[in-house]
Amino acid sequence: MHDELIARAKAWLAEDPDADTRDELAKLIDAEDHAELAARFSGTLQFGTAGLRGELGAGPMRMNRSVVIRAAAGLAAYLKAKGHGDGLVVIGYDARHKSADFARDTAAVMTGAGLRAALLPRPLPTPVLAFAIRHLGAVAGVEVTASHNPPRDNGYKVYLGDGSQIVPPADAEIAAEIDAITTLTAVPRPEAGWDTLDDSVLEAYLARTDAVLAADSPRIARTVYTAMHGVGKDVLLAAFARAGFPEPVLVAEQAEPDPDFPTVAFPNPEEPGAMDLAFAKARETDPDLVIANDPDADRCAAAVKDGTDWRMLRGDEVGALLAAHLVRRGARGTFAESIVSSSLLGRIAEKAGLPYEETLTGFKWIARVEGLRYGYEEALGYCVDPDGVRDKDGITAALLITELASQLKSEGRTLLDLLDDLAVEHGLHATDQLSVRVQDLSLIAAAMRRLREQPPTALAGLPITKSEDLTRGTDTLPPTDGLRYTLDGARVIVRPSGTEPKLKCYLEVVVPVTAHADLPAARARATELLASIKRDLSAAAGI
């Protein structure tokens, strides 16, 4: 067994094009570190609808140049099989460790396979890549990013020519082509032959960002902005300057790209502590709004002053605010969200007489909705310009929420005032999440199995009126690993995360409100219900 493991590691080592991972693997082989070698050679990173994502390091279970070259070769073979043999593949990347190498390897593989390849000029936000695919008429796009994952991770996200991320069956077909590549020596990788784009694509993207704002809207809201050590700063500042907003005050410690993310445990605005520096800057400068992007700037977080201190708005709150703003501006077209997001969007769309659709989790599904005008997901993802970027876009979302804050400021109101109005109009929709991060993935499978075998009949004293196992699909949704419980005045969805070792439970309660004076009592009731549902759900799932 150990001999076979060492032999596999040596065969991998012989082909590895990267001096760093070669050195790392050689040391493990020399030390005969069988446990670590087994962890790296126990299989291969699976290519799925999120593409690839994993920890950097040597071996097929880690993100490295060998794995990326195989992935690129598999994608090239898939594109050729689909009749795109001379098509253009555009490649973007963030500022993480090895991102530029992975992007360059992808360009070389595409060129070697006879496709045309174009690299974005430097690390740029993921939405710029999503825009470039449609703008340049590419047959596919690749973004090298691990979004808001920890510093030791990287990833590989694949888009097809419509500018949206892959969905089944394309993921399985590409995975099969990757599996068919037995040796890297069979993958041609010329030293040159691809294009490195100039700034004209970025200029075209920025020109398009103007279109998300109303021509005559006020541009007066003052912001504090953090790029969370990612690639958002320059593009966001350029977009804000074009729009005529006051220049955002930067959180200096997090403004420049840094792949080690030194000031945050997880570079995700939703994680505890990630916004501390931004709030400190806000206390110092008293803006109207705090804006944060995640490291690849496809997500946008917003925070507001609530009483005497600052509070992050939930993704569902921003989702509803942007929807209300677009309705007020006369937007037409379909409003869409994923099943784990707040049902308030459906109420807003219905009242405005607009079509509404619910999809599976992820922008790969939301972006595919017919006639999409606006789509959002509770994990801070907003698509406000679907004709330009068929994906979540943290830059245009930041512009739109700042326009709304400006509009309200000109009326002597705030984002919280508008949230209160929406609660009175549609009922108080309060959401929360129970999220459990695990080291051992079998714990997630065990919790899902337990809930399926012994489903709860009530949570927080509210009877469950409908219990759905989403692996069977529904009338409107394809199958997915998840459970949905409908309660009287509440909803719960439980699913394993697609990108992290987490079990995620999404909770929503709806408390009727007749007047603004009833809001404090309604909020207290919602908080109590959410806490009780969390407690009962934890017990039922054994987590």
Side-chain angles (χ1 to χ4, degrees), residues 465-483:
T465 54
K466 189 177 182 189
S467 186
E468 297 166 279
D469 188 339
L470 299 176
T471 45
R472 303 191 182 102
T474 71
D475 296 347
T476 54
L477 297 170
T480 186
D481 186 8
L483 299 163

Side-chain angles (χ1 to χ4, degrees), residues 26-34:
K27 284 181 176 142
L28 292 174
I29 294 169
D30 289 346
E32 296 186 6
D33 188 339
H34 296 124

Side-chain angles (χ1 to χ4, degrees), residues 245-521:
F245 286 115
E247 187 178 347
V249 174
L250 299 179
V251 178
E253 302 92 327
Q254 299 174 332
E256 298 305 325
D258 186 333
D260 294 318
F261 305 106
T263 67
V264 285
F266 287 95
N268 176 357
E270 291 180 294
E271 293 281 351
M275 296 290 284
D276 288 358
L277 287 169
F279 291 163
K281 182 58 78 177
R283 288 181 203 112
E284 199 183 296
T285 57
D286 199 31
D288 300 298
L289 190 62
V290 175
I291 300 275
N293 285 138
D294 67 338
D296 68 327
D298 62 350
R299 293 166 199 247
C300 174
V304 293
K305 198 165 191 181
D306 190 358
T308 57
D309 209 359
W310 288 82
R311 145 172 113 78
M312 254 277 284
L313 293 174
R314 291 188 161 276
D316 284 319
E317 292 176 310
V318 175
L321 287 167
L322 292 178
H325 182 45
L326 288 169
V327 164
R328 181 175 170 176
R329 276 182 27 188
R332 311 304 301 161
T334 303
F335 280 29
E337 65 180 338
S338 62
I339 55 171
V340 298
S341 305
S342 169
S343 58
L344 177 55
L345 185 70
R347 306 260 176 109
I348 292 170
E350 185 183 16
K351 180 133 192 207
L354 295 173
Y356 163 76
E357 272 196 47
E358 225 180 22
T359 72
L360 291 184
T361 313
F363 263 82
K364 55 184 180 277
W365 298 108
I366 295 170
R368 285 186 151 64
V369 166
E370 199 69 36
L372 181 68
R373 173 59 186 88
Y374 168 63
Y376 99 90
E377 186 154 78
E378 54 69 50
L380 312 183
Y382 314 93
C383 174
V384 301
D385 175 27
D387 292 341
V389 176
R390 268 243 178 292
D391 197 7
K392 53 188 180 288
D393 182 345
I395 306 293
T396 47
L399 287 170
L400 201 61
I401 195 76
T402 308
E403 177 184 58
L404 173 57
S406 297
Q407 178 76 51
L408 291 165
K409 185 178 182 177
S410 73
E411 299 163 9
R413 285 157 45 82
T414 68
L415 294 172
L416 293 179
D417 293 329
L418 180 52
L419 282 172
D420 286 352
D421 293 351
L422 291 172
V424 173
E425 192 175 352
H426 303 286
L428 176 69
H429 289 62
T431 55
D432 201 358
Q433 207 184 102
L434 171 64
S435 182
V436 185
R437 188 181 287 274
V438 298
Q439 291 290 302
D440 177 1
L441 285 174
S442 71
L443 295 173
I444 292 177
M448 294 297 286
R449 189 166 60 247
R450 181 170 168 159
L451 287 170
R452 286 189 169 106
E453 288 168 2
Q454 301 166 300
T457 53
L459 294 167
L462 303 172
I464 290 176
T465 54
K466 189 177 182 189
S467 186
E468 297 166 279
D469 188 339
L470 299 176
T471 45
R472 303 191 182 102
T474 71
D475 296 347
T476 54
L477 297 170
T480 186
D481 186 8
L483 299 163
R484 177 162 63 180
Y485 304 117
T486 307
L487 300 89
D488 192 13
R491 184 215 63 196
V492 173
I493 291 171
V494 184
R495 60 179 279 273
S497 166
T499 54
E500 295 177 275
K502 276 183 175 179
L503 181 69
K504 290 185 157 183
C505 313
Y506 303 85
L507 327 174
E508 178 175 46
V509 299
V510 184
V511 181
V513 182
T514 45
H516 279 78
D518 303 333
L519 279 168

